[in-house]
Amino acid sequence: MNKDAIKKTSAQAFTSYANYSALVADEFENSRKSVKQMLTTIGIGQIDQTATGKGVIDACRAKKYDLILCDFRLGTGKNGLQVLDELRQLDLIKPSAFFVIISAETSRDIVFGILESSPDDYLGKPFTEGVLSKRIERLFAQNVELEDIKKAISNKQYETVVTLCSAHIQHEGRYSPWCKRTLIDAYLELKSWEKLTELCEETLAVRDIDWALLGLVRMHVVKEDWNKAIKSAQTLVQKFPQCIQAYDLLALSFEKKGMHTQAQEVLESALKISPLRHERQQKMVDISLENGDSQSAVKASQQTLKLVTNTINESPEQYFQLAEILSEAATELTGSDKKRMAAEALAALTKVSKKYTNDHEIRIKKALSESRIYARQGQTKLRDDTLASAKKLIEQSPEANTIDVRIQLGKSLYLAGREEEAKQEWKELAANNTLTSDQSKAMSDFLDEPIPIGARGKAKAINGSGLAAYAQNDFDQAIELFEEAIKISPHHPGLNMNYIQAALKKMGKKTTDGFLLAECKQALTRAGHITSTHKQYSRYIKLKKLISKSE
């Protein structure tokens, strides 16, 4: 576009854009001035500037902008993606506004991160006034035609969304593809499975399109039909290997089916494509811990903390989680590597205490976490000193003795060799009936396997081999493998009950094997810490009755 054409376009737009407001965010003053000059020439009436992510958040609290042009790099604070995420969480962008990411970045990770965050547009640096003018014209033209639909979406009026989108599609409007994708969201909210399926299948009958395949996957996930979700997600990944949401849904479906190894493999593939989502990194932490993969858990936990630092998603628990994972992973190492990782765990605790200086609960949790780190390192004096310090802090600030603190206290007592005190602490907690499901799970998971991450992984792998032998009716081999796993994780209910089932199968109707019966009773005793809220409790009671009948 030549200069005369730009001037003509700008003159025509001046009146229509005069009442619009824009915010330009860039760490470099010259860049901000350049973009502001372009917007002024295009005709935007009100233009503000800021150099930081915090500046964007503060500006959007004070004013509802029509257009936000935000560079990916914003100095040492939040980057553009974190700003967009925070604005959405805080509901600081009006439905008709547009958020445009500007970036000179070319790295695969950042480009995919930007695309996955779904800004309204993406401008690569450098760009001309003509390019910016066309983008703005296109964005605001979309608003004119889709204003009513966007308002309905904002108000969660999904029946209205369906009506308006369907009408636009029927009249072959220029935004029909956008309306079809929006219909998928509306049908999911309304649980209109037949209409959603019809729309996707009609689209796919013409040609394969990622959003149509994804719509079917999302439907199966919402319906918790995990087998269909896995099958359709695998098809989507095969046909559209860059569709990152498909990996997340496939991993979730595997997880729900208890196929944690497969879930981790899928997440590893997803993180290779787009590693900048803290939610995905945190899911990798959870799955790695489930699989006993300490090194993957460490890496993902470090990345999670890095991605949320100085954002609305940062919390003390992320620091404590990293410290705990590092501490457990250190037990698998030797020499200087072991000391280095333990030091990193302590450093994470130092950071969290500095960030939340006046929070008494954080101070208590820090001391309790330190005691567990020293316990795993075999430093008994430091273990006992920090545990005593934590208990003194609890006495000084009884209001900070929350349920979470008491759970952490139980863990520290247990690792300090004071198992009965730990169990008593948790028994009193459970009796109050005020625990959330996550808190109950935290206690039962620890009592099930109070061993390091890597050891849990080894026990799980051996258990898997035992289950395979059991499925082949090789009960002697199964018993041998379950015994091996129990040596690593003696209190795990699942392992002990697997042993009992294999032993009962071996005995069959002949219940005169006194040795096996005695071993089954020992297995019941080892799993005796579980309560009625434990996921294995009904199985435990059933096996207990079977053993009683066999006596």
Side-chain angles (χ1 to χ4, degrees):
M1 182 180 289
N2 59 40
K3 292 183 179 180
D4 290 337
I6 291 175
K7 290 179 180 178
K8 182 178 179 181
T9 301
S10 300
Q12 290 172 339
F14 189 86
T15 302
S16 57
Y17 294 154
N19 294 323
Y20 288 147
S21 60
L23 176 65
V24 179
D26 194 302
E27 63 175 319
F28 299 110
E29 184 178 6
N30 288 341
S31 295
R32 294 197 303 273
K33 286 183 176 180
S34 176
V35 174
K36 181 179 180 181
Q37 182 57 50
M38 290 182 189
L39 293 174
T40 300
T41 304
I42 290 168
I44 302 293
Q46 306 167 52
I47 306 169
D48 295 330
Q49 303 176 60
T50 185
T52 66
K54 182 179 183 301
V56 177
I57 303 298
D58 292 342
C60 289
R61 288 184 191 277
K63 183 191 293 187
K64 297 295 184 183
Y65 291 94
D66 299 294
L67 176 66
I68 302 169
L69 298 170
C70 183
D71 200 279
F72 175 79
R73 295 291 181 190
L74 294 172
T76 58
K78 302 176 180 69
N79 62 41
L81 300 188
Q82 293 168 326
V83 168
L84 176 56
D85 188 36
E86 196 158 321
L87 289 175
R88 285 170 172 166
Q89 289 187 58
L90 296 173
D91 196 23
L92 294 178
I93 306 180
K94 62 183 181 181
S96 60
F98 294 107
F99 191 101
V100 179
I101 288 281
I102 299 173
S103 179
E105 302 289 342
T106 57
S107 76
R108 176 189 176 95
D109 291 357
I110 292 176
V111 171
F112 268 96
I114 291 172
L115 294 176
E116 190 179 353
S117 293
S118 299
D120 295 291
D121 211 337
Y122 169 42
L123 272 173
K125 284 183 174 181
F127 55 87
T128 65
E129 184 179 308
V131 169
L132 181 59
S133 178
K134 283 184 177 179
R135 296 293 181 91
I136 291 175
E137 182 181 351
R138 186 179 68 190
L139 289 172
F140 285 115
Q142 182 193 79
N143 254 1
V144 172
E145 285 203 50
L146 302 178
E147 181 181 7
D148 291 341
I149 300 176
K150 290 187 175 183
K151 283 183 179 178
I153 293 171
S154 179
N155 294 326
K156 299 182 179 180
Q157 297 169 335
Y158 299 111
E159 293 283 6
T160 303
V161 172
V162 170
T163 300
L164 294 173
C165 283
S166 299
H168 187 94
I169 295 167
Q170 185 176 356
H171 290 92
E172 298 181 353
R174 64 185 294 191
Y175 300 108
S176 291
W178 184 92
C179 285
K180 287 180 180 180
R181 292 192 295 271
T182 302
L183 274 177
I184 297 290
D185 297 332
Y187 287 148
L188 285 169
E189 292 290 345
L190 295 169
K191 293 183 170 52
S192 299
W193 311 133
E194 290 184 11
K195 291 182 178 179
L196 186 152
T197 303
E198 182 182 357
L199 171 61
C200 293
E201 290 183 348
E202 282 182 359
T203 303
L204 294 171
V206 178
R207 64 186 177 92
D208 287 335
I209 295 181
D210 56 354
W211 61 260
L213 287 165
L214 183 60
L216 293 174
V217 178
R218 292 170 66 194
M219 178 183 71
H220 296 319
V221 168
V222 172
K223 294 173 71 175
E224 298 186 0
D225 191 337
W226 305 117
N227 289 329
K228 287 184 178 179
I230 289 170
K231 185 176 180 180
S232 55
Q234 287 175 327
T235 299
L236 176 52
V237 167
Q238 183 179 11
K239 293 183 176 181
F240 297 94
Q242 307 303 325
C243 183
I244 193 66
Q245 194 175 352
Y247 292 86
D248 292 333
L249 295 176
L250 179 56
L252 173 64
S253 301
F254 276 135
E255 181 187 8
K256 293 295 185 180
K257 289 279 290 180
M259 303 166 70
H260 296 100
T261 301
Q262 293 88 334
Q264 182 171 338
E265 290 172 355
V266 172
L267 282 173
E268 286 170 351
S269 297
L271 288 169
K272 287 178 182 177
I273 299 170
S274 186
L276 300 183
R277 299 298 301 179
H278 71 87
E279 303 95 333
R280 185 173 298 121
Q281 293 286 359
Q282 181 59 54
K283 177 56 69 174
M284 186 62 169
V285 174
D286 299 338
I287 293 296
S288 299
L289 291 176
E290 184 68 36
N291 287 329
D293 184 349
S294 59
Q295 297 307 310
S296 294
V298 166
K299 182 180 178 181
S301 186
Q302 289 171 330
Q303 288 301 311
T304 300
L305 188 55
K306 181 179 178 181
L307 291 170
V308 300
T309 299
N310 297 322
T311 75
I312 194 174
N313 298 303
E314 183 180 19
S315 76
E317 297 312 313
Q318 290 150 339
Y319 289 87
F320 288 121
Q321 181 182 60
L322 176 58
E324 199 79 3
I325 293 172
L326 286 166
S327 171
E328 290 194 28
T331 63
E332 302 170 28
L333 304 174
T334 58
S336 61
D337 289 334
K338 181 175 184 177
K339 291 180 180 179
R340 173 186 55 78
M341 192 162 281
E344 288 179 17
L346 292 170
L349 297 178
T350 300
K351 286 181 181 179
V352 73
S353 64
K354 287 181 178 179
K355 270 187 173 283
Y356 304 90
T357 309
N358 299 319
D359 192 318
H360 294 300
E361 184 177 344
I362 299 301
R363 292 171 62 201
I364 296 169
K365 286 183 176 179
K366 174 179 180 286
L368 290 171
S369 186
E370 286 173 337
S371 74
R372 294 194 294 276
I373 292 172
Y374 293 130
R376 294 184 180 107
Q377 292 292 305
Q379 300 184 53
T380 54
K381 185 178 186 306
L382 287 172
R383 176 200 70 190
D384 293 340
D385 287 348
T386 48
L387 179 54
S389 175
K391 297 192 81 171
K392 186 175 181 179
L393 287 170
I394 291 172
E395 291 174 3
Q396 293 172 347
S397 305
E399 73 285 353
N401 192 22
T402 62
I403 290 176
D404 285 339
V405 164
R406 294 181 68 183
I407 291 173
Q408 298 305 314
L409 175 60
K411 290 181 179 182
S412 297
L413 287 168
Y414 196 101
L415 292 184
R418 296 156 66 173
E419 296 181 13
E420 292 307 314
E421 285 184 63
K423 291 177 181 179
Q424 182 60 34
E425 182 73 31
W426 286 353
K427 183 178 180 181
E428 292 173 5
L429 271 178
N432 291 333
N433 294 318
T434 57
L435 298 175
T436 66
S437 58
D438 286 342
Q439 289 168 337
S440 294
K441 185 176 184 300
M443 291 192 300
S444 63
D445 285 354
F446 182 84
L447 287 176
D448 287 352
E449 287 190 294
I451 57 176
I453 300 166
R456 294 201 296 270
K458 290 178 183 177
K460 182 175 182 177
I462 296 168
N463 180 59
S465 299
L467 291 172
Y470 183 92
Q472 297 296 319
N473 295 323
D474 188 347
F475 302 122
D476 285 324
Q477 177 68 8
I479 288 170
E480 183 178 329
L481 288 165
F482 292 143
E483 284 178 333
E484 186 179 348
I486 288 169
K487 287 178 182 177
I488 299 171
S489 185
H491 298 291
H492 192 278
L495 297 179
N496 282 288
M497 284 186 265
N498 287 346
Y499 175 89
I500 293 169
Q501 278 194 227
L504 290 175
K505 279 288 187 180
K506 180 181 178 180
M507 286 187 289
K509 294 181 180 179
K510 298 177 182 179
T511 57
T512 56
D513 192 327
F515 174 77
L516 275 181
L517 274 177
E519 289 296 303
C520 286
K521 290 179 183 178
Q522 285 295 316
L524 275 179
T525 300
R526 288 192 295 269
H529 63 273
I530 69 174
T531 64
S532 59
T533 60
H534 197 284
K535 61 184 178 182
Q536 296 265 20
Y537 187 72
S538 59
R539 182 186 178 200
Y540 173 81
I541 294 299
K542 182 179 179 181
L543 290 174
K544 190 174 183 179
K545 289 178 180 178
L546 287 174
I547 290 173
S548 296
K549 289 180 181 179
S550 299
E551 290 180 306

